[in-house]
Structures are given as structure tokens and as C-alpha cells.
């Protein structure tokens, strides 16, 4: 089987006719038709309904079109990674949760680029639990995550190292009115809308006690939304739909611009540690170089 046969078939779907697809692929129509036949012979199934006057895919061809596209994308990505690794050496893989990807990671990457431009790095951004799982399985060299100071992710393994990069507070906020004041008056209102984290998420568990518990004791709380998507919670808060807790690094510019107002004086919020872990290994590798920078003068959280 040749990769060009898959490319021919996908080009045929996009073009809509054999003649236009052959022109796109820079071959004659008879040669193009032969290549589609060769793909069908290799697969052992027909892909095109040749009894139809218009180009019509058979049902199984339609069902697997997306899979073929994904396979082709992954194959070319694999080729690119192999070529880059062969030419420049392997990359370090850093996995981090979505929130830190937005709030802290850009500053950290600029620091890496200035201090060690030759060190190659690949970022994987996922849910926090997925990041931890990938790191523990050995699928990532570095793990950047938020955690409670009293509950580090790894504390009993000698083959894993940890460095604290700083602390970050979860701040209760809501949107501001045109005078720069909170749109919800916590001093006089008894009913408050809440944009909350999924109770099974890390931030949901951190806030459940005592912060949400205290809020629910003092007010009649209406749950507007429950999600583990921190960026979405910020957007809903900016839209004035409720009160929520957000990491300071994510909303620093919103607070400075007056788009969001801190409610910390009345509701308070926990402080999180931002830490990085690494699988102990070769200090001369890309991961080793970046780890040294983590321990020197990384940007503040």
C-alpha cells in the first residue's frame, strides 16, 4: 500500500470528480483511476459506487473517511518528529494542566527560549488528572501542576524530583458594574449565583471546604454552571453570570482593567503551590537542561 493512494482517495472526496481530483494530484485521469483501484484492491473492498452518475461513496467508505484522515495526519506528524529527533536529538516532553497553559506557561517558555534555545521541548496540555497519569506512566519527562502545599503529588519516590516555582491564590470574583463595583452585593443580597468547579475536579475538591461550605451557610446559592473548564468559568464570570473562584495568574489583567472585582475580603480563597516534577535521568538531556533552569531563576508565578 502506498500513502499516495490514501491521499488520492481523500483528494477525490474533496474534488467531487475523478477529472478534477486527477488534476489536483498532477496525474492523468486513467492513472488516477488505477491508483484508486489499487487502494480498493489492497483494502479488499470497493470505495466508490461506480453505477452512480455522480461520485458516491459506499457506506463503509463514508464511515472510515475521518479515520483515514486522522491516520494520515498522525503518520506525517510521526515522520516530522522522527526527522527532527534524528537531526537535533530527542525533545523533552512537559505535560501541564489547561489553566497553567494559559496563565504561567507562556512566561516559563520565554525563559527557556532565552536561557536554553537549543533545548527542544514539546508541550502536552490536558486535564490535571491526565497530566499526572501521563507523568506517572513515564509518557512525559516533566510535570507542571498546581497542588496543595500539604499534599504534593509525589512525596515517597526517590526517582522523582520536585521543585516549587511559586504560589498562586484562588480568588473569588465577579464582574464589575459601570462604576467598577461588584455586580453582586454580598453585604445585602441573600441569593447569589455560583459558577462552580466540578466536584470531582481538583479545584472543586480544594474549594468544597471551607470556602463553598461557608458561602452556602451565609447565602442562598444558585448553581448556574458546574464545570472543570477554568477558562469557561472565567468567561461566564466576565459575562456577569455569577460568582466564582479563579487563579490569580489567569485573571490578573481582568482585575487590573476592572473587568472583574475581587470578593476576597468576604469570601477568601485557598493558596495553591505551583510545582514541577521530573523523572530523574540524564542531566545533559533536554529535560535535564530545562530542569536546571527550573531550579535557577524561573519567572515568578
Amino acid at each position: 500500500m502506498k500513502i499516495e493512494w490514501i491521499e488520492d482517495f481523500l483528494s477525490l472526496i474533496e474534488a467531487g470528480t475523478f477529472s478534477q481530483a486527477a488534476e489536483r494530484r498532477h496525474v492523468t485521469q486513467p492513472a488516477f483511476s488505477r491508483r484508486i483501484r489499487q487502494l480498493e484492491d489492497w483494502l479488499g473492498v470497493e470505495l466508490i459506487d461506480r453505477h452512480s452518475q455522480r461520485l458516491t461513496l459506499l457506506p463503509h467508505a463514508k464511515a472510515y473517511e475521518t479515520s483515514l484522515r486522522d491516520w494520515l495526519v498522525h503518520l506525517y506528524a510521526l515522520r516530522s518528529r522522527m526527522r527532527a529527533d534524528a537531526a537535533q536529538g530527542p525533545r523533552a516532553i512537559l505535560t501541564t494542566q489547561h489553566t497553567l497553559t494559559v496563565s504561567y506557561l507562556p512566561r516559563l517558555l520565554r525563559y527557556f527560549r532565552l536561557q536554553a534555545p537549543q533545548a527542544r521541548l514539546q508541550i502536552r496540555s490536558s486535564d490535571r488528572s491526565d497530566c499526572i497519569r501521563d507523568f506517572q506512566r513515564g509518557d512525559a519527562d516533566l510535570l507542571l501542576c498546581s497542588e496543595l502545599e500539604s499534599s504534593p503529588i509525589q512525596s515517597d519516590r526517590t526517582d522523582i524530583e520536585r521543585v516549587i516555582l511559586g504560589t498562586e491564590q484562588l480568588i473569588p470574583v465577579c464582574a464589575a458594574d459601570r462604576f467598577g463595583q461588584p455586580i453582586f452585593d454580598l453585604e445585602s443580597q441573600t441569593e447569589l449565583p455560583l459558577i462552580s468547579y466540578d466536584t470531582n475536579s481538583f479545584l472543586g475538591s480544594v474549594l468544597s471546604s471551607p470556602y463553598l461550605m461557608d458561602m452556602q451557610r451565609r447565602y442562598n446559592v444558585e448553581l448556574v454552571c458546574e464545570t472543570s473548564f477554568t477558562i469557561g468559568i472565567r468567561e461566564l464570570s466576565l459575562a456577569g453570570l455569577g460568582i466564582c473562584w479563579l487563579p490569580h495568574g489567569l485573571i490578573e489583567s481582568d482585575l487590573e482593567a476592572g473587568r472583574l472585582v475581587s470578593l476576597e475580603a468576604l469570601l477568601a480563597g485557598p493558596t495553591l503551590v505551583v510545582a514541577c516534577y521530573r523523572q530523574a535521568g540524564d542531566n545533559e538531556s533536554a529535560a535535564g537542561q530545562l530542569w536546571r533552569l527550573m531550579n535557577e531563576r524561573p519567572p515568578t508565578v
Side-chain angles (χ1 to χ4, degrees), residues 75-93:
L75 186 64
Y76 277 123
L78 176 62
R79 183 184 70 174
S80 297
R81 289 197 296 270
M82 291 180 69
R83 285 178 174 177
D85 287 351
Q88 304 173 29
R91 293 172 293 182
I93 297 176

Side-chain angles (χ1 to χ4, degrees), residues 215-234:
M215 183 180 179
Q216 289 163 341
R217 284 173 179 160
R218 295 163 57 187
Y219 305 97
N220 293 324
V221 174
E222 175 196 358
L223 184 61
V224 175
C225 176
E226 187 177 75
T227 178
S228 57
F229 186 40
T230 311
I231 310 301
I233 290 178
R234 171 183 172 269

Side-chain angles (χ1 to χ4, degrees), residues 66-126:
T66 300
S67 297
L68 287 172
R69 291 186 185 278
D70 291 343
W71 176 83
L72 199 60
V73 168
H74 288 142
L75 186 64
Y76 277 123
L78 176 62
R79 183 184 70 174
S80 297
R81 289 197 296 270
M82 291 180 69
R83 285 178 174 177
D85 287 351
Q88 304 173 29
R91 293 172 293 182
I93 297 176
L94 183 149
T95 183
T96 187
Q97 62 207 69
H98 295 306
T99 306
L100 290 175
T101 302
V102 177
S103 63
Y104 179 63
L105 186 62
R107 280 176 284 154
L108 186 62
L109 294 182
R110 284 194 294 270
Y111 168 65
F112 286 161
R113 183 169 293 180
L114 287 173
Q115 300 298 324
Q118 76 288 351
R120 302 178 62 241
L121 177 65
Q122 177 184 341
I123 304 298
R124 292 181 183 170
S125 179
S126 304

